[in-house]
Amino acid sequence: MNYEFTIIVPIYNEEENLERLEQELSAYISNTKTGTQVLLINDGSSDRSQQLIEGICGRHSEFHFLEFAENRGLSAAIKAGFDHADTPLVGYMDSDLQTAPEDFDLLLQHIGEYDLVTGVRASRKDSFVKNMSSLIANKIRRAFTNDGMDDTGCPLKVIRTEYARRIPMFKGLHRFLPAMILLQQGKILQVPVRHFPRMAGKAKFGLWNRLLGPLADCFAYLWMKKKYINYTIAKKG
């Protein structure tokens, strides 16, 4: 089958969510009009996640996996997905299912005109502390990047693979994907998507990861923006 779209799903110790993840993603693949495959990235899990992942991939030809030798973090998992995707479009979502795979179709409607379409979580179902820290972090990041995005932490995005592969990833850069597309003179859009409470497993980000870490990353982004190489070929012969 000629797939058009690869969904990257980073996984770190999410054994309690993987059965439901399999059900929801396989149902989405069956119903969407876009030829879709799934790439599960096991980011060095220490629980039964890898065993369950291999079972899922054995049951569905559209599912594939990569297993890291050790835990390397969310940005590394996303980069691995970008590196190994073989479709024109790539997207990603979290394995905790706080966003719905069906909402990828809301993003795919616009990807013809844009190079990145990201979700913005409407009526977030997180704790007050988590919501407030994310709100503050997004305001700080937006002041540094001027990307106009309200919720870059939303784990539901669709990107043209040619743009995704040109992003020079570093740890924490997953929060700056829209800004990195703008550096490539690409076009970006945000679209409201649904958000659900976490049903199982534990959140992997605390106050440092969500607020203080991104602030430090903003300075790394500014350095990268100043040094970023971008060019357009006018003629070839």
Side-chain angles (χ1 to χ4, degrees):
M1 181 175 178
N2 293 322
Y3 296 109
E4 304 169 58
F5 180 41
T6 299
I7 299 174
I8 300 165
V9 187
I11 295 167
Y12 179 61
N13 291 345
E14 291 284 2
E15 62 179 4
E16 296 174 348
N17 282 310
L18 292 183
E19 180 179 352
R20 194 160 62 95
L21 181 72
E22 175 186 7
Q23 294 171 352
E24 295 204 15
L25 279 172
S26 59
Y28 170 70
I29 290 172
S30 297
N31 293 320
T32 186
K33 296 179 180 178
T34 305
T36 301
Q37 61 183 351
V38 176
L39 182 56
L40 306 174
I41 313 287
N42 182 3
D43 182 20
S45 297
S46 57
D47 62 0
R48 295 175 57 251
S49 290
Q50 182 60 28
Q51 178 183 342
L52 297 173
I53 287 169
E54 292 186 24
I56 292 170
C57 294
R59 289 187 289 272
H60 305 276
S61 61
E62 305 91 353
F63 284 71
H64 312 277
F65 75 86
L66 299 173
E67 181 187 14
F68 282 4
E70 57 187 356
N71 177 244
R72 302 303 295 169
L74 179 57
S75 292
I78 294 171
K79 173 174 170 49
F82 290 167
D83 290 343
H84 289 83
D86 56 2
T87 53
L89 300 174
V90 64
Y92 86 90
M93 63 175 291
D94 284 348
S95 54
D96 59 16
L97 291 169
Q98 287 194 259
T99 50
E102 293 83 6
D103 286 352
F104 274 120
D105 286 343
L106 299 175
L107 310 186
L108 289 165
Q109 290 177 17
H110 302 280
I111 199 62
E113 305 171 53
Y114 296 89
D115 304 300
L116 175 147
V117 183
T118 182
V120 53
R121 292 167 286 190
S123 303
R124 286 187 63 175
K125 302 300 190 296
D126 288 322
S127 68
F128 175 79
V129 172
K130 186 174 181 179
N131 285 339
M132 287 305 298
S133 59
S134 293
L135 178 64
I136 294 169
N138 272 300
K139 286 185 176 180
I140 293 171
R141 175 202 44 74
R142 194 163 55 243
F144 275 80
T145 64
N146 293 313
D147 61 9
M149 298 288 103
D150 297 314
D151 184 17
T152 60
C154 179
L156 209 66
K157 292 178 172 63
V158 176
I159 313 173
R160 293 189 183 278
T161 304
E162 60 182 303
Y163 282 81
R165 286 183 177 156
R166 289 199 295 263
I167 296 173
M169 295 290 287
F170 61 77
K171 188 175 182 179
L173 197 66
H174 62 273
R175 304 180 184 92
F176 295 83
L177 294 181
M180 296 307 299
I181 300 301
L182 289 178
L183 282 186
Q184 299 180 47
Q185 300 178 352
K187 297 173 63 179
I188 62 177
L189 177 72
Q190 60 182 2
V191 175
V193 297
R194 295 171 293 170
H195 190 247
F196 306 93
R198 178 183 264 272
M199 302 298 292
K202 296 181 180 179
K204 307 303 186 295
F205 291 91
L207 183 62
W208 166 257
N209 314 81
R210 200 175 296 116
L211 184 56
L212 301 180
L215 175 59
D217 293 339
C218 285
F219 293 98
Y221 167 79
L222 289 181
W223 178 88
M224 182 174 294
K225 181 179 180 180
K226 183 178 180 180
K227 302 291 185 178
Y228 187 74
I229 295 174
N230 198 29
Y231 62 88
T232 302
I233 301 295
K235 186 181 292 186
K236 185 178 179 180

